[in-house]
Amino acid sequence: MDLYIMNCELLATCSALGYLEGGTYHKEPDCLESVKDLIRYLRHEDETRDVRQQLGAAQILQSDLLPILTQHRQDKALFDAVIRLMVNLTQPALLCFGSVPKDPSVRHHFLQVLTYLQTYKEAFASEKAFGVLSETLYELLQLGWEDRQEEDNLLIERILLLVRNILHVPANLEQEKRIDDDASVHDRLLWAIHLSGMDDLLLFLSSSSAEQQWSLHVLEIVSLMFRDQNPEQLAGVGQGRLAQERSTDVAELEVLRQREMAEKRARALQRGNRHSRFGGSYIVQGLKSIGERDVVFHKGLHNLQNYSSDLGKQPRRVPKRRQAAQELSIYRRSVLNVRLFLRDFCSEFLENCYNPLMSAVKDHLLRERAQQHDETYYMWAMAFFMAFNRAAAFRPGFVSETLSVRTFHFVEQNLTNYYEMMLTDRKEAASWARRMHLALKAYQELLATVNEMDACPDETVRESSRIIKNNIFYMMEYRELFLALFRKFDERYHPRSFLRDLVETTHLFLKMLERFCRSRGNLIVQNKRKKRKKKKKVQDQDVAFSHSPGELEAMWPALAEQLLLCAQDPELSVDPIVPFDAASEVPVEEQRVEAMVRIQDCLTAGQASQALALLRSAREVWPEGNVFGPPVISPGEEMQLLKQILSAPLPRQQESVEGDAEEEEEEEEEEELQVVQVSEKEFNFLDYLKRFASSTIVRAYALLLRSYRQNNAHTNHCIAKMLHRLAHDLGMEALLFQLSLFCLFNQLLSDPAAAAYKELVTFAKYILGKFFALAAVNQKAFVELLFWKNTTVVREMTQGYGSLDSGSSSNRAPVWSPEEEAQLQELYLAHKDVEGQDVVETILAHLKAVPRTRKQVIHHLVRMGLADSVKDFQRKGTQIVLWTEDQELELQRLFEEFQDSDDVLGDIMKNITAKRSRARVVDKLLALGLVSERRQLYKKRRKKLAPSCMNGEESQRDSWQEDPEEEEEHLLEGQSEDEEREEGLPAGQAQGSSSLSAENISQSLRQEGLSAPLLWLQSSLIRAANDREEDGCSQAIPLVPLTEENEDAMENEQFQHLLRKLGIRPPSSGQETFWRIPAKLSSTQLRRVATSLSHRENKEEEGPEPNPGVPGEQSPSEEHRAEAQEATGEEKWRSAPKKRQLLDSDEDEDDDGRRQAAVSGTPRIHRKKRFQIEDEDEDD
């Protein structure tokens, strides 16, 4: 539809409004209904805003709505409807379309709506329209809260929104073409506001405590009034030209005059413009063309100095997404009467309205009663009015509301949030960057105001400044803010003005911080560090627990008497003692060990009642496993358990040591969890300044230095001061040795107006002198000009390459000497073609002078050019995926050869040529159809009864030891180490090895000194058997080692081999930590396994039974074993009737029942089958 042809219904509605005749507007009878119809049409317009465009093209607002507003104000219903319609029509284009459209067709509609809004703004620039609005607003504000209706509040809000919408319309610079000191449309609008008295109403709304609900609307209107103004220039209006302004203008004119004179001199040295057609061609020696010849120049010699290889070339197109951000805020000088009005408005606003308005706005923001991003108006007002107050007549009391540490924190939090959102929300990055710039300006003015307070003659003001500086310099966030902003600076989103403000704010902060450090002598600041949570050290038991066994034996009788009295006391309470902290980060297992340590400490300290109470409380918290005793326990058993805890070697955690111990903890093994460690340290200004010695920060300063001609003198001073700090104060002149900076220095030194930039010229000469002094010593400095450098490279350039390697640099690989490189080359060339060996491993075996890693050798071979890529040195035999035809035939031949053996897969793995994992071989056998399922590849284990000479003990080789699931895991993962060990046994021994392997392994473990872990394993198995008999159900029970000796045993390969032989399941990768007793093992099987662990030892050590009533007749090992058996209930089990040892089902009685009956001499008893609930997953 053509938008320039109005819709017939819309045209009829507009015609029913009325008509203008001779300056008088005659409304139609249906005028009110027509206005309501237009509001309804606007509510249902499409995405192109067709109704809005048609009304704009028909100029309804200029020809109808404004006359109705000014001439028919007495008709309240019509006046309210016209205000509603005007608010809708003047709505900003960004709110209508959501954002600036990227589609060209939709963008055209956006620009058209924006054009109509600009015409509306020009129509409102009259005193008559704002006079009606001001009178209506004044009458409404005169009403008290008890007389004011809801319609009155709505009308107040709509009038404020209408003023906001009109002021929000951007200026059309191309159409207006206004210069400074000329009245623009915005200036005429401001003057109309002033003449109508609207500015006084705004001041009243700002200062009145009863009208705080309009504070955000008023603040938004005020910010739009001053959006083109500079606060420093506005503060000096009407005071005559200051000496500083005059000197600035004189300097600018002098720069222009010097450049003009330089151009005149250059033109005078050139030849005349008259040029013959036969001027000739010239060869420029030393300047090569595309080929090897010199460049041929076909123009006059006077144009030679302007020659460039880029002449005639197509300029490089920069993608839109990589273009630099454009400046959006443009300052202009309004006409004088407008500036005088704005200056008086600012002065009165600061004196009466600033503090109450900013307090109300801050309250709205904190209580979340504001709209999204309304805090930007708050920060703009803070930056503008604090700068005006500082430039006019500095009075800290006028801005006391925003002059606090809480305001610093608020601005810093928003600034940090803005740049984080700019990194995450890429689509709206430009908007977040603009908000970030506003927050930076507010932070800059806060620092400038605090700095101005130091020069105030009032001692109270200076003391307040000192307190604020002490707080902001103490906190780490404020010191790290500028470093983060420089690191996150992106030229695509941040305009050049943002970088200028960032550089000036950093200069001011460093100057204040340096002055504060000098006045204080020493400054203590907060230091926060993200520290990874370390694994706690386990102390040596001799150091952790200093009591000897003899002292503990002597201590026990006195403790036993106290414990007996406490155990008989029925009033002993366990409520005050809590051994478990659910909110702690310490794992539950460690808290259980810590509870046992606390019990031991209470016993050694003579606190028997606390030890007993803690034991009973821990028993309630950890009932599983009966670690602290069974739920029903006699006092005598409690005494024995406490005696065992007293003499047990428990692991203890080492206390953290201050000072050097923190550095040692950083080298320990780290975990994923990070905690923020807060500490205090003495502040060193030079150490803080070293944080700015980064190529990223120097590059940002160099970018701003390129526009030194457009920068003001203060900005150039801030750049020179920072670069001077890095080069001179830190001694890092080489940090600025960069070709782009040197080109900039060359442009600066050859500038005709270089006298106006004396500070920059002096600094450039200083850096160039340092470079040429270094280049005389280090010829590689010319190559280093091509790269930005860090502090490490700077040190190597100045102190010599390799100087860092001579120091304490444990993280850097040692440098290869020429002799080592020659040896490396010789070894590689000698062994690279040898088949069947790894060349890198061979080289590592011969390189013994300096320890090297495989990775270091491979990378240096590539760096020397002896190899093409790191991939050439991948380990052979592990990365083979494809099978050749010969390898498939070989696999088929091996399968046919060993298919009748007990271990088909093991024999194939030993004889196959191309070494592969078990999973690869199994998959290939299935793919070739040689086997139909994986079960056919399991190792065949034969049942064999033990000989009769074994005192009636049944054999350990039973069908329950064959675990198909475990075998399948071994087939898939290739980790059956115990099977591979058995493969090396002779054929005759292989069949009988399984029956006696558990006893043989346990005997060898006892010889190695692992008797105590075996007793612990035995007691754990018996406890599990007792639990399964009592509960009637089975679950997988984890084996949790609580002592250091048991933990070491669980990591022993031979001990793990024993666990596998006994049928104990290893932990599943990534889900479990401990070995588990499977749920499939019955209580009888568990007792038989536990008996096998102590059978041979009991037989060998069988002798006269000592008198249990006489103390001291047992050997230490027997006493320890007896205590363990008493704690675990093994003696009770051994003294039980033989029928308790029968299996629980008829199926399991076949072999075991016969053997048991033969040994015990009792008749075989058949029992009914007992069903047990087994956990199939065994993961819980």
Side-chain angles (χ1 to χ4, degrees):
M1 181 184 70
D2 191 359
L3 296 177
Y4 296 100
I5 300 176
M6 184 174 290
N7 183 275
C8 57
E9 296 181 359
L10 199 59
L11 179 60
T13 305
C14 294
S15 300
L17 290 173
Y19 60 93
L20 186 63
E21 183 180 6
T24 303
Y25 191 85
H26 301 277
K27 65 175 183 176
E28 296 290 343
D30 298 333
C31 182
L32 178 60
E33 286 73 14
S34 299
V35 172
K36 292 181 179 180
D37 289 339
L38 291 177
I39 295 174
R40 192 177 299 110
Y41 287 143
L42 285 172
R43 191 181 302 160
H44 298 289
E45 61 183 352
D46 59 7
E47 65 276 0
T48 61
R49 305 297 181 252
D50 54 344
V51 177
R52 196 177 304 269
Q53 293 189 53
Q54 293 182 35
L55 294 178
Q59 298 184 355
I60 296 298
L61 187 140
Q62 297 93 320
S63 59
D64 293 285
L65 298 183
L66 276 178
I68 293 175
L69 182 72
T70 56
Q71 298 181 20
H72 298 277
R73 176 173 167 266
Q74 66 280 359
D75 191 348
K76 191 175 184 304
L78 180 61
F79 185 83
D80 291 349
V82 170
I83 291 292
R84 286 179 58 192
L85 181 57
M86 283 186 171
V87 170
N88 199 336
L89 279 178
T90 58
Q91 189 176 8
L94 282 175
L95 291 180
C96 294
F97 289 87
S99 61
V100 179
K102 296 182 180 180
D103 188 12
S105 60
V106 183
R107 189 180 180 87
H108 167 72
H109 298 301
F110 174 83
L111 296 176
Q112 194 66 38
V113 171
L114 189 60
T115 304
Y116 294 140
L117 288 175
Q118 292 169 352
T119 59
Y120 297 160
K121 183 176 183 178
E122 188 174 359
F124 263 96
S126 65
E127 180 185 355
K128 186 180 296 186
F130 273 99
V132 173
L133 295 176
S134 300
E135 291 177 5
T136 306
L137 185 61
Y138 177 75
E139 292 175 359
L140 293 173
L141 293 177
Q142 289 296 317
L143 299 175
W145 281 102
E146 63 278 1
D147 299 329
R148 192 179 299 178
Q149 303 296 325
E150 184 65 27
E151 293 80 6
D152 299 332
N153 288 329
L154 287 175
L155 185 56
I156 293 174
E157 185 175 8
R158 287 168 183 161
I159 291 175
L160 294 176
L161 287 176
L162 179 60
V163 176
R164 188 279 311 266
N165 291 346
I166 296 300
L167 289 171
H168 188 275
V169 178
N172 191 351
L173 301 178
E174 296 181 357
Q175 184 178 359
E176 293 186 25
K177 297 180 180 179
R178 300 290 183 177
I179 61 174
D180 287 345
D181 296 324
D182 193 7
S184 63
V185 175
H186 194 75
D187 292 341
R188 290 191 282 121
L189 191 66
L190 292 177
W191 190 246
I193 291 175
H194 173 59
L195 293 179
S196 64
M198 181 67 74
D199 54 339
D200 296 329
L201 294 176
L202 294 175
L203 291 173
F204 170 75
L205 289 173
S206 303
S207 59
S208 175
S209 59
E211 307 292 344
Q212 288 187 356
Q213 58 176 332
W214 318 115
S215 56
L216 282 169
H217 293 293
V218 174
L219 185 61
E220 189 174 359
I221 291 173
V222 171
S223 67
L224 293 172
M225 289 173 59
F226 291 92
R227 66 178 178 186
D228 296 337
Q229 305 298 324
N230 191 329
E232 287 84 0
Q233 294 180 0
L234 199 62
V237 174
Q239 300 178 0
R241 291 179 57 80
L242 301 177
Q244 182 179 3
E245 294 181 358
R246 289 196 297 269
S247 61
T248 303
D249 293 342
V250 169
E252 292 179 358
L253 290 175
E254 182 64 24
V255 169
L256 295 175
R257 190 182 69 85
Q258 290 178 1
R259 288 176 180 164
E260 184 179 2
M261 292 178 60
E263 292 178 0
K264 287 182 179 180
R265 288 194 299 267
R267 285 196 300 267
L269 293 176
Q270 293 179 359
R271 295 184 178 181
N273 291 332
R274 183 178 180 182
H275 175 63
S276 172
R277 291 180 180 273
F278 305 99
S281 298
Y282 305 92
I283 295 177
V284 184
Q285 293 184 355
L287 185 61
K288 299 297 182 182
S289 62
I290 298 178
E292 294 296 329
R293 299 180 180 179
D294 294 334
V295 171
V296 179
F297 189 68
H298 297 283
K299 296 183 179 180
L301 293 177
H302 59 280
N303 294 322
L304 181 61
Q305 60 181 0
N306 297 326
Y307 174 77
S308 174
S309 300
D310 296 330
L311 292 175
K313 293 182 179 179
Q314 186 72 19
R316 184 178 181 182
R317 179 182 174 274
V318 180
K320 188 176 181 180
R321 65 178 182 275
R322 296 183 182 178
Q323 292 178 0
Q326 301 295 326
E327 295 286 347
L328 297 178
S329 59
I330 301 175
Y331 295 115
R332 64 177 301 273
R333 194 164 57 240
S334 301
V335 69
L336 180 59
N337 56 351
V338 174
R339 282 186 287 153
L340 290 173
F341 149 63
L342 293 177
R343 184 204 62 184
D344 296 338
F345 183 89
C346 282
S347 300
E348 191 171 353
F349 184 86
L350 276 172
E351 186 174 357
N352 302 316
C353 308
Y354 180 83
N355 287 333
L357 179 65
M358 298 299 281
S359 176
V361 171
K362 184 69 174 294
D363 183 69
H364 286 316
L365 294 175
L366 294 179
R367 296 178 184 270
E368 297 182 354
R369 291 186 294 184
Q371 294 182 359
Q372 194 176 14
H373 308 313
D374 276 349
E375 71 277 357
T376 56
Y377 297 107
Y378 178 82
M379 287 184 286
W380 174 89
M382 188 191 311
F384 186 89
F385 289 106
M386 292 181 78
F388 182 88
N389 179 53
R390 183 172 47 85
F394 181 67
R395 296 182 182 179
F398 287 174
V399 293
S400 59
E401 174 62 32
T402 55
L403 203 58
S404 62
V405 179
R406 297 178 63 183
T407 308
F408 272 95
H409 176 71
F410 177 79
V411 176
E412 186 268 337
Q413 288 292 103
N414 281 280
L415 189 56
T416 306
N417 179 52
Y418 290 155
Y419 83 71
E420 288 178 354
M421 291 301 299
M422 189 190 69
L423 297 178
T424 55
D425 189 6
R426 287 295 185 181
K427 292 183 178 180
E428 298 295 331
S431 301
W432 291 112
R434 288 193 294 270
R435 300 184 187 106
M436 189 173 168
H437 192 184
L438 280 174
L440 179 63
K441 288 289 293 183
Y443 196 83
Q444 181 183 10
E445 285 305 324
L446 283 172
L447 290 175
T449 303
V450 172
N451 185 48
E452 193 74 22
M453 291 170 64
D454 288 338
C456 188
D458 190 356
E459 178 63 27
T460 307
V461 175
R462 293 199 302 270
E463 181 65 19
S464 301
S465 171
R466 189 191 63 80
I467 294 174
I468 293 175
K469 288 191 296 183
N470 196 11
N471 281 276
I472 62 176
F473 293 152
Y474 175 78
M475 298 298 294
M476 182 180 178
E477 289 80 5
Y478 302 114
R479 301 193 307 272
E480 297 292 326
L481 178 63
F482 300 102
L483 294 167
L485 292 180
F486 272 115
R487 286 195 298 266
K488 304 302 180 183
F489 173 75
D490 194 339
E491 194 178 2
R492 298 173 299 171
Y493 307 118
H494 296 118
R496 198 64 57 89
S497 58
F498 174 85
L499 183 58
R500 181 181 65 249
D501 291 332
L502 179 58
V503 168
E504 293 178 359
T505 310
T506 304
H507 171 77
L508 177 61
F509 184 82
L510 290 176
K511 184 175 68 173
M512 294 173 60
L513 181 58
E514 185 178 16
R515 188 189 308 146
F516 192 76
C517 292
R518 290 176 180 174
S519 62
R520 291 287 299 270
N522 60 338
L523 177 63
I524 303 300
V525 297
Q526 186 187 66
N527 184 34
K528 292 183 180 180
R529 181 177 59 181
K530 283 187 177 180
K531 185 177 180 182
R532 295 182 181 271
K533 191 176 180 182
K534 312 295 188 308
K535 287 187 176 179
K536 298 180 180 179
K537 292 182 179 179
V538 179
Q539 278 189 338
D540 190 17
Q541 295 175 3
D542 297 336
V543 179
F545 196 63
S546 57
H547 297 279
S548 62
E551 295 177 354
L552 295 177
E553 287 292 335
M555 191 186 303
W556 176 248
L559 285 173
E561 296 179 1
Q562 298 180 19
L563 289 171
L564 188 59
L565 294 176
C566 295
Q568 296 174 357
D569 187 7
E571 298 181 357
L572 182 65
S573 176
V574 298
D575 294 336
I577 303 178
V578 180
F580 175 71
D581 186 6
S584 176
E585 298 178 357
V586 181
V588 180
E589 291 79 7
E590 295 185 12
Q591 291 196 39
R592 183 168 58 184
V593 178
E594 186 65 27
M596 196 168 293
V597 172
R598 289 173 59 187
I599 295 174
Q600 190 181 63
D601 292 340
C602 292
L603 291 174
T604 54
Q607 302 172 354
S609 59
Q610 294 186 11
L612 185 59
L614 189 58
L615 176 67
R616 294 177 178 177
S617 179
R619 186 186 306 143
E620 294 180 0
V621 176
W622 292 286
E624 63 275 3
N626 296 335
V627 178
F628 296 95
V632 180
I633 186 172
S634 63
E637 293 176 344
E638 271 188 340
M639 299 278 288
Q640 292 296 327
L641 185 58
L642 287 173
K643 184 178 181 182
Q644 293 179 20
I645 294 176
L646 177 64
S647 59
L650 299 177
R652 295 174 177 266
Q653 297 174 355
Q654 185 179 10
E655 300 293 334
S656 59
V657 183
E658 302 292 335
D660 298 336
E662 294 183 0
E663 300 179 358
E664 296 177 359
E665 287 181 359
E666 294 179 0
E667 301 176 359
E668 295 179 4
E669 186 176 358
E670 300 178 350
E671 295 182 355
E672 294 181 359
L673 185 61
Q674 289 185 351
V675 293
V676 178
Q677 183 181 10
V678 181
S679 60
E680 289 185 343
K681 67 175 184 178
E682 186 174 354
F683 182 75
N684 190 332
F685 181 75
L686 289 180
D687 291 341
Y688 175 68
L689 193 60
K690 290 177 183 178
R691 306 284 303 279
F692 289 88
S694 171
S695 60
T696 305
I697 299 178
V698 175
R699 198 176 305 175
Y701 274 88
L703 178 63
L704 186 60
L705 187 59
R706 292 179 191 173
S707 56
Y708 70 93
R709 293 181 179 179
Q710 290 79 27
N711 298 337
N712 54 37
H714 178 65
T715 303
N716 289 333
H717 167 71
C718 295
I719 298 172
K721 182 63 177 177
M722 173 56 83
L723 298 181
H724 182 266
R725 289 181 187 272
L726 299 178
H728 181 267
D729 297 351
L730 298 181
M732 294 186 181
E733 300 89 354
L735 195 65
L736 306 179
F737 294 168
Q738 218 280 334
L739 195 57
S740 60
L741 266 178
F742 279 19
C743 292
L744 190 57
F745 289 159
N746 182 40
Q747 180 183 353
L748 178 63
L749 295 175
S750 60
D751 195 338
Y757 313 106
K758 293 181 180 179
E759 192 175 16
L760 292 177
V761 170
T762 305
F763 179 74
K765 291 180 179 179
Y766 168 75
I767 294 296
L768 292 173
K770 290 290 185 179
F771 171 75
F772 290 114
L774 178 63
V777 180
N778 183 8
Q779 294 294 328
K780 296 181 181 178
F782 294 99
V783 183
E784 296 283 2
L785 283 175
L786 302 174
F787 310 100
W788 291 100
K789 290 162 281 295
N790 53 23
T791 55
T792 305
V793 179
V794 167
R795 181 178 172 185
E796 288 188 339
M797 283 182 62
T798 54
Q799 301 182 8
Y801 295 99
S803 58
L804 293 180
D805 300 327
S806 60
S808 57
S809 56
S810 57
N811 295 329
R812 294 174 61 94
V815 182
W816 291 79
S817 62
E819 294 78 9
E820 290 177 335
E821 289 184 347
Q823 183 185 6
L824 178 64
Q825 183 176 3
E826 181 182 355
L827 290 172
Y828 177 74
L829 295 177
H831 297 88
K832 69 175 183 176
D833 296 328
V834 179
E835 297 183 358
Q837 70 176 5
D838 191 350
V839 61
V840 180
E841 296 295 338
T842 307
I843 293 174
L844 289 173
H846 289 81
L847 290 177
K848 298 181 180 179
V850 179
R852 304 282 182 183
T853 62
R854 179 184 180 89
K855 185 177 180 180
Q856 293 173 1
V857 171
I858 293 175
H859 280 284
H860 203 69
L861 287 172
V862 176
R863 192 177 296 113
M864 293 175 62
L866 298 175
D868 296 332
S869 174
V870 179
K871 297 181 180 179
D872 298 341
F873 299 98
Q874 292 181 352
R875 297 179 185 270
K876 297 181 180 180
T878 59
Q879 301 294 332
I880 302 177
V881 178
L882 299 179
W883 290 74
T884 63
E885 185 178 358
D886 296 337
Q887 292 172 352
E888 292 180 355
L889 294 175
E890 181 189 13
L891 180 62
Q892 187 175 1
R893 178 182 58 80
L894 292 175
F895 177 76
E896 294 174 354
E897 180 180 354
F898 299 108
Q899 63 180 348
D900 296 331
S901 64
D902 293 340
D903 188 7
V904 181
L905 186 58
D907 294 336
I908 293 176
M909 294 298 298
K910 287 189 295 184
N911 293 276
I912 196 169
T913 304
K915 298 302 180 182
R916 299 175 185 268
S917 63
R918 288 175 172 261
R920 298 287 184 189
V921 175
V922 171
D923 293 339
K924 194 61 180 177
L925 290 172
L926 291 172
L928 293 175
L930 299 177
V931 292
S932 58
E933 55 183 4
R934 299 175 186 270
R935 189 179 298 273
Q936 298 178 12
L937 298 175
Y938 293 167
K939 182 187 292 185
K940 299 176 183 177
R941 299 185 179 183
R942 303 175 181 176
K943 295 183 180 180
K944 183 178 180 180
L945 297 177
S948 59
C949 62
M950 296 184 63
N951 296 330
E953 294 290 342
E954 66 265 11
S955 171
Q956 301 300 317
R957 180 64 176 173
D958 268 7
S959 60
W960 60 268
Q961 285 183 326
E962 182 176 351
D963 189 358
E965 296 180 1
E966 184 180 353
E967 291 289 340
E968 185 170 1
E969 289 181 3
H970 295 335
L971 291 176
L972 294 176
E973 301 177 5
Q975 296 178 350
S976 57
E977 298 176 0
D978 50 343
E979 294 182 5
E980 293 178 0
R981 292 192 184 96
E982 289 182 4
E983 291 172 358
L985 296 176
Q989 190 178 353
Q991 297 179 357
S993 61
S994 299
S995 60
L996 299 178
S997 58
E999 295 184 4
N1000 294 336
I1001 295 174
S1002 61
Q1003 184 65 24
S1004 62
L1005 288 174
R1006 289 189 182 91
Q1007 295 176 359
E1008 294 180 5
L1010 296 180
S1011 300
L1014 287 173
L1015 288 175
W1016 165 73
L1017 176 60
Q1018 181 183 9
S1019 62
S1020 300
L1021 293 172
I1022 295 175
R1023 278 200 304 268
N1026 295 336
D1027 294 340
R1028 293 183 181 183
E1029 275 192 354
E1030 294 174 1
D1031 299 340
C1033 61
S1034 301
Q1035 292 183 358
I1037 301 176
L1039 291 175
V1040 183
L1042 298 180
T1043 63
E1044 184 179 4
E1045 187 177 6
N1046 294 342
E1047 290 180 358
D1048 295 340
M1050 294 298 290
E1051 296 176 358
N1052 192 320
E1053 293 184 1
Q1054 193 173 5
F1055 196 85
Q1056 294 178 357
H1057 185 37
L1058 174 64
L1059 295 176
R1060 288 192 180 94
K1061 287 295 180 184
L1062 298 179
I1064 298 176
R1065 181 168 57 84
S1068 61
S1069 59
Q1071 298 181 355
E1072 299 175 349
T1073 306
F1074 304 106
W1075 290 68
R1076 294 177 183 269
I1077 303 174
K1080 69 186 78 172
L1081 300 183
S1082 64
S1083 59
T1084 307
Q1085 292 171 343
L1086 290 176
R1087 288 195 177 94
R1088 188 167 61 248
V1089 173
T1091 306
S1092 67
L1093 294 178
S1094 59
H1095 171 72
R1096 177 168 296 189
E1097 182 180 0
N1098 293 338
K1099 180 181 178 181
E1100 292 177 356
E1101 296 180 0
E1102 190 176 8
E1105 183 178 356
N1107 186 4
V1110 181
E1113 292 188 5
Q1114 285 183 329
S1115 63
S1117 60
E1118 291 175 343
E1119 183 179 358
H1120 183 60
R1121 187 181 305 106
E1123 292 177 357
Q1125 291 172 354
E1126 183 179 357
T1128 57
E1130 185 176 352
E1131 293 290 338
K1132 181 180 178 181
W1133 173 76
R1134 290 193 176 185
S1135 61
K1138 293 297 181 179
K1139 64 179 180 180
R1140 288 284 304 276
Q1141 304 177 24
L1142 295 178
L1143 297 181
D1144 295 334
S1145 64
D1146 295 336
E1147 284 81 5
D1148 294 338
E1149 287 181 354
D1150 294 339
D1151 294 330
D1152 297 325
R1154 296 188 186 97
R1155 287 195 292 266
Q1156 189 71 19
V1159 173
S1160 59
T1162 59
R1164 180 181 174 187
I1165 300 175
H1166 293 275
R1167 282 186 172 186
K1168 294 183 180 180
K1169 182 184 298 186
R1170 289 167 49 187
F1171 293 93
Q1172 295 181 352
I1173 302 174
E1174 295 186 0
D1175 188 12
E1176 297 180 357
D1177 296 336
E1178 298 182 3
D1179 290 331
D1180 299 331

